[in-house]
Amino acid sequence: MEFQDVVRRRRMVRKFTDEPVADESLRRILRNALRGPSAGFSQGQGFLVLTGEELKRFWEFAASWAPASVTTAPVAIVPLSVKNAYLDRYAKPDKGFAAGDDSWWRVPYWDVDTGMAAMLILQTAVDEGLGAVFFGLAPESVERVHSEFGVPEDHDPIGVIALGHGDEPGPSPDSSARTIRRRDFSEVIRFGHW
């Protein structure tokens, strides 16, 4: 698929068929996630991939912020940001910042870079002919992700991506894309001066 088609077709899919995701497609999606930008090449991301019984256990506590139809997805990917990887990387001699010092980071690039990896997952899903939706994880569910699935404490979930074969011909009935117009180019983009 042409890249511009991937960008135009990418949308949040909230309902899925029961058809499984091919292992080859899932692995391609995950390999592409590893190709995202990474400040200082810190590579401070992890991805918890859930299917089968683990996924059923996950939905028992993690579906509170998602429409019920999302739980029909056969795969959930939890992108995890690892702040310590950035702090450790930037304490190396070629960067020269104090070990463990995050005071100079105006923006948490560990979260930014993990968000970019999540976007690569969403875009590759389109290229694979699949549907996906990114949604938040309730704060009270974060500890359970750590305890139920053995996720290290310094790996912070930034959200969840439900992935599968979409079962919607267009935007979901409850999608904001149906009720809110996309902002015009001229409303958002300025060249040279705001």
Side-chain angles (χ1 to χ4, degrees), residues 29-108:
I29 289 166
L30 294 166
R31 278 193 304 271
N32 282 356
L34 302 178
R35 302 295 301 180
S38 176
F41 210 50
S42 300
Q43 302 174 73
Q45 294 84 36
F47 302 91
L48 176 63
V49 181
L50 300 168
T51 60
E53 291 304 313
E54 289 88 4
L55 181 58
K56 287 179 188 172
R57 203 167 80 230
F58 176 76
W59 288 136
E60 289 173 8
F61 67 87
S64 63
W65 282 20
S69 62
V70 168
T71 64
T72 61
V75 178
I77 302 169
V78 182
L80 305 150
S81 94
V82 187
K83 177 180 178 178
N84 290 337
Y86 288 75
L87 299 183
D88 292 347
R89 171 67 185 101
Y90 277 78
K92 301 269 187 229
D94 66 320
K95 297 295 182 187
F97 291 89
D101 180 15
D102 68 354
S103 64
W104 65 275
W105 290 87
R106 196 178 76 70
V107 174

Side-chain angles (χ1 to χ4, degrees), residues 126-162:
V126 171
D127 195 47
E128 290 292 313
L130 299 169
V133 61
F134 181 92
F135 60 94
L137 188 61
E140 61 272 12
S141 297
V142 171
E143 179 55 39
R144 290 207 52 194
V145 167
H146 289 282
S147 63
E148 297 263 341
F149 301 103
V151 174
E153 284 300 315
D154 70 341
H155 286 54
D156 190 26
I158 66 159
V160 179
I161 299 169

Side-chain angles (χ1 to χ4, degrees), residues 138-194:
E140 61 272 12
S141 297
V142 171
E143 179 55 39
R144 290 207 52 194
V145 167
H146 289 282
S147 63
E148 297 263 341
F149 301 103
V151 174
E153 284 300 315
D154 70 341
H155 286 54
D156 190 26
I158 66 159
V160 179
I161 299 169
L163 176 71
H165 293 270
D167 194 19
E168 301 171 324
S172 303
D174 59 345
S175 170
S176 297
R178 290 187 179 269
T179 59
I180 300 171
R181 73 169 180 83
R182 185 176 301 277
R183 292 174 66 192
D184 186 67
F185 185 93
S186 63
E187 292 179 88
V188 181
I189 310 296
R190 302 291 189 277
F191 292 94
H193 190 274
W194 204 264

